[in-house]
Amino acid sequence: MSRAADALLVQHNLKALNLTNMARHFEQQLRQARDGGLDYSQFLLELTELELRIRCENREKRRLKEAKFPLLKSLETFDFEAVPQLDKRLVRDLAAGDYLKDRRNVILMGKSGTGKTHLATALGIEACRQSKRVRFVTGYALANELIEARTEKDLSRLLGKYARLDLLILDELGYVPFSKEGAELLFQILAERHERGSVVITTNLGFADWTQVFGGPNMTAALLDRLTHRARIIECTWDSYRLKQSLKGGRKKTT
Ligand code: ADP
Ligand code: MG
C-alpha cells in the first residue's frame, strides 16, 4: 500500500480511538519527523505528547468557562508590592493548591476595594489550571439560585452539582442579608461541602457581624464553626487599592 493510503488509514484509526489531535496533526508531525530524522519512538513520543498537551489546554479552557468568573483576574496581574501587609508566601502556597487536597477553606476578609475578589478569582484560576472543578458565585446569587430551585424541585440536583465542585468561591458574603430560606439553603450547601471540598469566601464582615446576615445566632455559630475549622484566614487590613491608585493618579496630574 502507498504511504498516502497508510497515512489515511492511520488517521482513521486514531479518530476511531478518540485521539483526534493526533489524527489532525499526524501528517505534519510525520513530515517533521522525516525531515528531522526522528526514529519511531521519538516520533510517537512527540505525537502522544501533543495529544496530551492539547487535551490539557482544552480542559483548562473548559474549567475556566464553567467557573463563570466575572473577570479573569489572575495572580500575574496582582500587585503584591502595593499590599506589603499581605503574606505573599501564604498566597503562593494557596495558589499551589494544597488547601484543595486538604479540603480546607480560605476566608478573605476586609473592606471594599482591597483586592479580595481579585485574589479569590486568582486562586480559582490557579485551581482551573490544575484541572479542578471551580464555580465562582456571589453569596446573594447562590441563595437566589437555591430558592428558585426549591420551587422547581430541582434542589437536590443543584445541591449535588455544588457538592461535586473541587472549589466553590462565594464572593461578597454579607453585602446583602439573606432571607431565612436563603440562609438555610446556603447553610445546607456549606454543611455538605464541609471537609469534602474547599470554599473560598470573600466578605466585608467581621465574624461578629455574621449573625445579622444569616439570621439566627445558632445557625450562624454552626456555620462559622464549619467554615472556619482549619481555614486559612486572610485579613485585608489595608486601604482600598482603587482609592490608592486614584489618589496616586490625582497626585501625578497635579505635579
Ligand atoms: P474587593 O473585592 O476587596 O472589593 P477587588 O478585588 O474587586 O476588591 O479590587 C478592586 C479593584 O482593584 C479590582 O479591579 C482589582 O483588580 C484591583 N486590585 C485590588 N488590589 C490589587 C492589587 N494588589 N494589585 C492589582 N490590582 C488590585
Ligand atoms: Mg469584591
Side-chain angles (χ1 to χ4, degrees):
M1 223 185 290
S2 74
R3 270 188 171 184
D6 280 348
L8 268 180
L9 276 176
V10 171
Q11 279 168 298
H12 173 84
N13 289 352
L14 288 171
K15 273 189 208 146
L17 289 164
N18 268 333
L19 298 165
T20 45
N21 301 304
M22 282 172 69
R24 192 171 307 133
H25 296 274
F26 179 71
E27 289 199 300
Q28 177 211 342
Q29 291 286 111
L30 189 63
R31 234 182 350 258
Q32 279 178 11
R34 282 185 181 138
D35 292 349
L38 297 193
D39 65 26
Y40 299 129
S41 56
Q42 283 169 327
F43 165 63
L44 199 55
L45 180 66
E46 296 228 330
L47 200 60
T48 48
E49 289 205 326
L50 184 129
E51 175 76 38
L52 288 171
R53 194 179 64 243
I54 295 178
R55 276 190 193 193
C56 184
E57 285 165 6
N58 288 343
R59 194 181 317 124
E60 185 185 318
K61 275 188 216 144
R62 210 165 47 237
R63 295 282 189 251
L64 285 171
K65 202 164 151 227
E66 286 164 357
K68 299 199 168 121
F69 298 113
L71 292 166
L72 282 180
K73 299 260 178 176
S74 66
L75 223 46
E76 288 84 15
T77 62
F78 191 82
D79 179 7
F80 283 94
E81 308 272 304
V83 285
Q85 303 95 320
L86 176 64
D87 184 350
K88 190 171 168 177
R89 229 183 61 196
L90 172 60
V91 176
R92 296 273 173 219
D93 284 350
L94 290 171
D98 279 351
Y99 74 106
L100 296 168
K101 270 186 234 120
D102 300 339
R103 297 165 166 81
R104 284 173 189 253
N105 299 334
V106 178
I107 302 177
L108 292 149
M109 315 176 84
K111 281 185 296 192
S112 180
T114 49
K116 302 183 298 298
T117 299
H118 189 141
L119 281 171
T121 306
L123 291 181
I125 291 173
E126 291 304 319
C128 288
R129 288 175 180 162
Q130 293 154 25
S131 296
K132 303 290 184 200
R133 254 177 235 111
V134 181
R135 177 79 160 88
F136 180 107
V137 65
T138 64
Y140 183 70
L142 178 57
N144 278 344
E145 195 184 349
L146 290 166
I147 290 170
E148 270 169 35
R150 169 173 266 186
T151 52
E152 287 166 19
K153 304 217 190 315
D154 270 346
L155 189 61
S156 66
R157 187 190 54 82
L158 201 58
L159 287 172
K161 191 181 94 177
Y162 278 101
R164 274 193 300 277
L165 296 171
D166 297 301
L167 172 62
L168 171 64
I169 302 175
L170 267 187
D171 194 37
E172 300 195 343
L173 205 66
Y175 279 69
V176 189
F178 299 110
S179 65
K180 186 166 179 293
E181 192 183 16
E184 279 166 9
L185 289 168
L186 209 64
F187 178 81
Q188 214 172 319
I189 289 258
L190 294 173
E192 279 191 23
R193 288 190 67 76
H194 180 54
E195 294 198 328
R196 290 203 204 124
S198 298
V199 184
V200 169
I201 284 178
T202 82
T203 180
N204 58 334
L205 297 179
F207 290 130
D209 301 319
W210 282 41
T211 320
Q212 294 163 25
V213 174
F214 282 99
N218 290 340
M219 184 153 68
T220 307
L223 187 78
L224 276 180
D225 185 54
R226 284 171 177 78
L227 276 182
T228 56
H229 176 55
R230 303 192 312 139
R232 312 309 303 255
I233 295 169
I234 299 177
E235 288 181 82
C236 306
T237 50
W238 47 89
D239 289 330
S240 160
Y241 179 82
R242 255 184 311 232
L243 188 65
K244 264 193 285 189
Q245 292 306 104
S246 37
L247 286 178
K248 242 197 243 169
R251 221 176 292 144
K252 256 187 225 143
K253 264 177 233 145
T254 51
T255 53

